Amino acid sequence: MVKLLVAILPASLAIILSAYADPQIILSLEDIHSPILSAKAIQVRLAGPQMSLLELELGEVAIKEKIWRNLRFSCHTFQFSKDLISCDDGILRLPKSAGMPAAFRFSSRNKSLDVKIKTTAKEGSEGWGLTARWGGPAWEGRLTLINSQVSRIAELLPDKEREMLASAKGRVNGTARLRGDASGLAAIEANLIVDGLAFSDVSGLHAGENITGQIIAKATRQNGEQVNLWEWRSEVTWPQGEVFWQPLYFTGQGHRFIARGEVDENVIRLLEGNLILSGIGEAGLSGVMERPTNTLHDFDLSADNLELSGLFSQVVKPFLAGTSFTELKAMGHAGIQWRYRNGASELINLNLSDVFVEDERERFALRGVNASIPWRSQGVSVTDVSIQSGQLLRIPIGELRIPLEINGQNLNIPRLTFSVLDGEFTLENFSASHLAQGWSWQFSGGLSPVSMQALTKALGSRPMHGTLSGTIPRVSYTGTTLKVDGALLFKVFDGTVELRNMVVLDLMGRAPSLVADLDMRNLDLDLLTGMFSFGNMQGRIDVAVNGLELFDWKPIKFDASLVSSHGNYPRRISQAAVQNISSLGGSGAAAAIQRSFLHIFEEFGYTKIGWSCSLRNGICQMGGIESEHSPQGYVIVKGGGIPAITVIGYNRNVDWWELISRLERITQKNVKPIFQ
Amino acid sequence: MRNPISHLILLMALLSASFPSFAAADIEINTPAIARLKQSMQQRHGQLEAYYTRGAVGLTRDGLIAMRDANVLPLAARQSVNALIASENEDRNALYREIARANGRPEWEQDIRSTFGQRWIDLARPGWWYQAPNGSWGRK
């Protein structure tokens, strides 16, 4: 540096010697250039007795791409001799900052430089010290920071870095050792402790507060063919404080990052890194970042045995906000291997070990998940995911092994079988793709008989007997809608139930609803009434429910009609069933039966049953057998044989939930039995 | 106008006025799904209200809400407010979709969204922040 100045001064300085009482020397330099440093608008003014007053102004100083502007230094005790240049009470002024007391001593005899800056403010005193020694081309220095404010460090930083730390607060203590030679800086060793660090960007989406941490770093310039290649090592410990880096939030709990690598003018290379996140686990890292764009070029991450509960809640879940999986929780252990090359992911291996996943909305839960899931950017990878047990919409599912084929953004499961209660579900040709609007998937399959008793128990509904089975021609899901093409066929109550045109809207959302048409044929009334303890009825019925809409598994709209099935079969209705139906008409009607001599008959004959309900806005508009007309009401049961019974309904509009409630109590009003 | 959610019905009347060609239409807003979404939004509104008032959260021009200035929130609250915003937007999107569907006009969704977007802003209390058509934030 000295050599540089000596070389430049004679060529470009202008000296003005005043002829007046207070002589002064003003040196003005427009421009200094060197490969390392350049400066503009430099003015040095020496005045006062024995030239002890120094004023130095630097309009702009640039070292490489880093720029400082408007630096000023003044000193009243400036000494200049052959061996010593010194100032014991100078003031250093940086832009937008109060002056800082500063002193320096430059001894050419001792080949040393000592600089001290010390300030006292209401936040307490802080000090900066720089000592440098040299002999021949080699030199070394030591920078000491005592309670140095980060904001002050920011002021000393070049323009770009200063902007980033403009609002930063906190203090730094520690030392940095510097070593150099004729080629410039050759090594740095720093041990810094940061306390109470706070920073934020303008939006507040990247911010930290009250951060305490230690940074130990070492960097050495390599003497090889490659110019400016540095080898570095660092260790960062973060025991306290909090950081919000949209969408992640972390608190310091002893997290550590240990790394070593290289840096040159074109790349920052992380050769080996070890990230230890308290409560989650350890990850090995390496990678290459391009300079000066700071673009990630290559990256490798490898982690085993991570605590999934911490990893999921702290790292994964924040990225799931706004999706259907915001209310998931996961436990167990996970491992991950990620390879990123030339700006794109090339490989991801995800290992899950004894994982438990649960949806807090109780849509599903999976226990004992073990998997090693490989993903490659090119080609197909195949794996098995094993799940010990699970639950889907409160229905328990047994152990399953999912043979998964992964091809880029597409997933396939050729065939999968697992138990559902006492039955078995078969899924075939499952394929899922990730499209711009989200996941889209489809499959076909079937359900072998499941006992209705077990199913109704699992669903917490009224116990029923019989079996449920069906075939699923094709189920597809796109956007928010699940659609079943074709018909689902079920066999219950010795008849068939066909579920057609089924669509589930907002399947994974907060307000899922189901739309479908139901067509039931030849249901055995004997079995049906037996399930509901309604009193025995014999016969068969067909039920059509068109335009059925369910919300929260409750019907909100449909057009239903129930009629006796065609064909020859016994048509009998027990006195208990008549009593129950008639008691829907109120205690008076029931009493009428009791009083009647016909109560001695156990059962009656009928020729036809018919009932309809159109549900709109909670009101069921009812009707009876279409071909039968009654002056005051509608015929629900048309009598036939001896003894016969006819049931007529009078009330056409009834609140649906009131009707359900009445049916449950078997106390419907406005229904009167007519005995023949 | 104290609670925007409770004025959904009024909003629907405004909706009719916003679609002159549909003004005669009997707009369906009483489906259980809409009721569920209203209830969910109403419950959440109690938590969001303070954030609207403090300027942390603002009403966007597309009928949703967004973090406007996280600086007014403690760091520890920013993530949960993010999640609250995401849940609210999930409900709002479902609401616009469901209203369009319940009326048998799925193609109305975008119009319903933009009309709601403007009405939420109209109904916002003084001091709340909203996004102007050009994307800039303004204060009522």
Side-chain angles (χ1 to χ4, degrees):
Chain A
M1 183 71 72
V2 175
K3 278 184 182 174
L4 173 78
L5 285 172
V6 170
I8 291 168
L9 284 174
S12 56
L13 66 77
I15 304 173
I16 302 168
L17 284 170
S18 171
Y20 299 100
D22 287 337
Q24 60 177 341
I25 300 173
I26 298 175
L27 312 177
S28 293
L29 292 87
E30 283 184 7
D31 230 340
I32 296 177
H33 283 290
S34 83
I36 299 171
L37 177 145
S38 67
K40 289 179 184 171
I42 305 152
Q43 185 163 307
V44 183
R45 177 172 166 266
L46 285 169
Q50 298 176 329
M51 296 292 162
S52 61
L53 175 63
L54 167 73
E55 284 182 359
L56 171 68
E57 288 182 30
L58 296 169
E60 183 179 301
V61 178
I63 299 177
K64 304 271 174 140
E65 299 86 23
K66 301 186 188 305
I67 299 170
W68 291 264
R69 289 191 174 86
N70 298 323
L71 307 181
R72 295 173 66 195
F73 179 73
S74 60
C75 180
H76 291 269
T77 56
F78 183 64
Q79 291 180 41
F80 186 93
S81 67
K82 184 183 170 192
D83 299 327
L84 185 72
I85 304 173
S86 70
C87 168
D88 294 333
D89 63 350
I91 301 287
L92 176 66
R93 286 190 171 81
L94 303 171
K96 299 176 188 172
S97 125
M100 292 180 282
F104 75 86
R105 182 169 288 262
F106 172 79
S107 168
S108 58
R109 178 190 293 169
N110 299 333
K111 295 182 178 173
S112 66
L113 170 69
D114 292 286
V115 180
K116 284 180 184 165
I117 302 171
K118 190 173 182 182
T119 63
T120 305
K122 60 183 177 184
E123 298 89 10
S125 65
E126 64 176 297
W128 298 68
L130 172 69
T131 60
R133 303 282 181 273
W134 60 91
W139 60 270
E140 62 176 37
R142 179 188 170 96
L143 179 67
T144 307
L145 308 177
I146 301 166
N147 280 330
S148 302
Q149 289 185 44
V150 174
S151 56
R152 194 86 72 192
I153 297 171
E155 287 166 11
L156 293 172
L157 289 174
D159 283 1
K160 196 176 164 189
E161 286 78 358
R162 185 168 61 235
E163 280 169 24
M164 287 171 64
L165 283 173
S167 62
K169 291 175 185 166
R171 291 182 175 275
V172 181
N173 282 282
T175 57
R177 290 174 175 275
L178 305 115
R179 191 162 49 76
D181 54 28
S183 312
L185 188 63
I188 308 172
E189 268 183 63
N191 187 340
L192 304 172
I193 292 173
V194 181
D195 188 30
L197 175 67
F199 64 91
S200 177
D201 65 1
V202 177
S203 64
L205 298 177
H206 305 97
E209 281 177 9
N210 199 28
I211 295 166
T212 297
Q214 184 175 21
I215 302 162
I216 299 171
K218 185 177 178 182
T220 314
R221 195 183 67 215
Q222 298 303 291
N223 296 318
E225 289 179 5
Q226 198 177 341
V227 183
N228 286 329
L229 174 67
W230 287 71
E231 197 179 270
W232 57 269
R233 287 172 183 275
S234 71
E235 181 176 343
V236 180
T237 313
W238 178 26
Q240 194 184 317
E242 49 184 345
V243 168
F244 177 70
W245 201 270
Q246 170 91 326
L248 302 173
Y249 173 75
F250 272 92
T251 53
Q253 297 168 353
H255 308 306
R256 287 172 72 200
F257 179 56
I258 303 159
R260 67 176 186 89
E262 295 171 347
V263 60
D264 63 22
E265 286 157 337
N266 302 316
V267 296
I268 301 171
R269 201 180 304 276
L270 172 63
L271 294 172
E272 190 181 354
N274 188 25
L275 177 66
I276 302 160
L277 293 175
S278 184
I280 294 177
E282 286 186 42
L285 313 170
S286 61
V288 176
M289 184 179 276
E290 288 175 349
R291 297 181 67 197
T293 54
N294 290 343
T295 312
L296 190 64
H297 189 267
D298 297 341
F299 192 71
D300 283 274
L301 181 148
S302 178
D304 292 320
N305 210 28
L306 299 175
E307 286 289 340
L308 192 58
S309 55
L311 177 71
F312 189 81
S313 62
Q314 290 204 60
V315 182
V316 180
K317 200 171 173 178
F319 290 99
L320 298 176
T323 71
S324 306
F325 303 106
T326 46
E327 287 158 89
L328 281 192
K329 63 178 180 185
M331 285 181 274
H333 291 90
I336 188 164
Q337 190 191 352
W338 175 35
R339 188 195 299 159
Y340 182 88
R341 292 288 180 275
N342 296 316
S345 291
E346 200 175 85
L347 172 151
I348 298 171
N349 286 332
L350 177 67
N351 296 309
L352 301 174
S353 175
D354 200 19
V355 167
F356 171 63
V357 185
E358 187 180 35
D359 174 40
E360 288 175 4
R361 289 193 207 168
E362 295 186 347
R363 291 172 298 185
F364 65 89
L366 303 170
R367 291 176 204 87
V369 182
N370 286 285
S372 177
I373 302 169
W375 176 89
R376 308 283 180 273
S377 59
Q378 302 291 327
V380 181
S381 47
V382 179
T383 187
D384 273 353
V385 177
S386 78
I387 300 171
Q388 222 163 48
S389 65
Q391 202 169 304
L392 188 63
L393 299 175
R394 288 189 278 178
I395 301 167
I397 52 177
E399 186 176 356
L400 66 156
R401 199 169 187 85
I402 306 171
L404 197 61
E405 287 178 10
I406 307 167
N407 186 358
Q409 299 279 314
N410 302 308
L411 300 176
N412 294 298
I413 302 170
R415 186 183 163 85
L416 168 67
T417 304
F418 58 92
S419 64
V420 178
L421 298 168
D422 54 349
E424 196 173 71
F425 184 82
T426 303
L427 178 140
E428 288 182 317
N429 300 319
F430 175 89
S431 65
S433 310
H434 192 255
L435 309 172
Q437 67 270 29
W439 281 96
S440 165
W441 45 261
Q442 58 184 21
F443 67 87
S444 58
L447 184 67
S448 69
V450 171
S451 96
M452 289 296 288
Q453 194 173 18
L455 183 65
T456 49
K457 188 181 174 189
L459 292 171
S461 60
R462 179 188 289 275
M464 290 171 72
H465 298 277
T467 60
L468 173 65
S469 62
T471 56
I472 304 166
R474 183 173 180 269
V475 178
S476 59
Y477 176 83
T478 310
T480 58
T481 304
L482 181 136
K483 195 175 171 190
V484 179
D485 293 339
L488 290 172
L489 295 168
F490 301 97
K491 288 176 184 170
V492 287
F493 304 120
D494 198 34
T496 59
V497 176
E498 197 178 79
L499 185 65
R500 295 189 314 267
N501 305 324
M502 189 174 112
V503 175
V504 182
L505 302 160
D506 203 15
L507 175 66
M508 304 301 280
R510 204 175 307 281
S513 55
L514 183 146
V515 181
D517 295 324
L518 267 175
D519 197 6
M520 308 178 203
R521 299 278 172 187
N522 274 313
L523 301 187
D524 187 332
L525 271 175
D526 189 18
L527 294 173
L528 190 63
T529 52
M531 301 298 159
F532 292 98
S533 309
F534 191 75
N536 181 253
M537 290 172 78
Q538 289 182 23
R540 290 190 175 265
I541 53 166
D542 296 342
V543 182
V545 185
N546 293 317
L548 170 67
E549 284 189 32
L550 298 182
F551 181 75
D552 204 13
W553 300 108
K554 295 184 181 74
I556 55 169
K557 186 182 172 188
F558 60 73
D559 293 305
S561 66
L562 178 157
V563 294
S564 293
S565 306
H566 292 292
N568 292 319
Y569 48 81
R571 290 173 164 85
R572 308 295 292 175
I573 180 165
S574 70
Q575 190 197 74
V578 170
Q579 213 157 358
N580 281 335
I581 292 178
S582 59
S583 70
L584 293 174
S587 58
I593 300 173
Q594 298 302 324
R595 284 194 301 270
S596 161
F597 69 93
L598 288 174
H599 75 277
I600 60 169
F601 293 102
E602 285 297 315
E603 55 182 28
F604 307 93
Y606 70 89
T607 56
K608 210 170 190 181
I609 294 174
W611 178 79
S612 67
C613 167
S614 288
L615 180 67
R616 297 286 185 281
N617 298 319
I619 302 296
C620 170
Q621 188 183 33
M622 296 191 294
I625 302 165
E626 279 187 6
S627 56
E628 299 296 318
H629 299 284
S630 168
Q632 293 134 326
Y634 49 92
V635 178
I636 299 170
V637 180
K638 184 187 174 189
I642 299 173
I645 190 166
T646 294
V647 181
I648 297 176
Y650 293 100
N651 194 352
R652 288 203 175 265
N653 294 310
V654 63
D655 181 282
W656 171 256
W657 295 111
E658 179 60 25
L659 176 66
I660 295 297
S661 164
R662 282 182 190 175
L663 275 172
E664 284 178 350
R665 299 195 307 266
I666 329 243
T667 54
Q668 186 187 7
K669 293 176 183 174
N670 296 322
V671 176
K672 279 186 182 174
I674 296 174
F675 298 99
Q676 294 178 337
Chain B
M1 303 289 168
R2 279 192 170 183
N3 187 339
I5 308 294
S6 67
H7 287 76
L8 201 69
I9 291 170
L10 170 63
L11 209 51
M12 295 312 299
L14 294 169
L15 258 181
S16 308
S18 305
F19 298 120
S21 57
F22 311 140
D26 186 12
I27 292 181
E28 176 63 75
I29 56 160
N30 285 323
T31 73
I34 292 174
R36 167 75 61 86
L37 292 165
K38 276 165 62 180
Q39 186 192 13
S40 164
M41 290 166 72
Q42 206 149 13
Q43 281 172 355
R44 192 180 302 107
H45 183 74
Q47 299 173 64
L48 279 168
E49 200 170 4
Y51 302 127
Y52 291 134
T53 306
R54 291 164 70 179
V57 179
L59 309 169
T60 66
R61 56 187 163 170
D62 58 353
L64 302 176
I65 63 172
M67 184 82 88
R68 190 198 69 85
D69 181 9
N71 287 302
V72 300
L73 301 172
L75 284 194
R78 293 179 198 183
Q79 194 179 53
S80 58
V81 174
N82 256 344
L84 208 57
I85 291 169
S87 297
E88 175 70 7
N89 286 338
E90 192 187 352
D91 279 0
R92 287 180 177 222
N93 284 324
L95 178 72
Y96 306 145
R97 197 165 53 236
E98 175 61 17
I99 291 172
R101 191 201 66 81
N103 287 280
R105 304 297 292 266
E107 71 276 13
W108 283 8
E109 188 180 329
Q110 276 311 314
D111 292 331
I112 289 169
R113 170 189 295 277
S114 58
T115 305
F116 261 78
Q118 190 51 51
R119 298 306 176 200
W120 293 128
I121 291 169
D122 292 345
L123 293 169
R125 288 192 204 166
W128 291 12
W129 290 80
Y130 67 95
Q131 209 175 27
N134 65 4
S136 64
W137 288 101
R139 197 173 189 192
K140 281 198 77 172

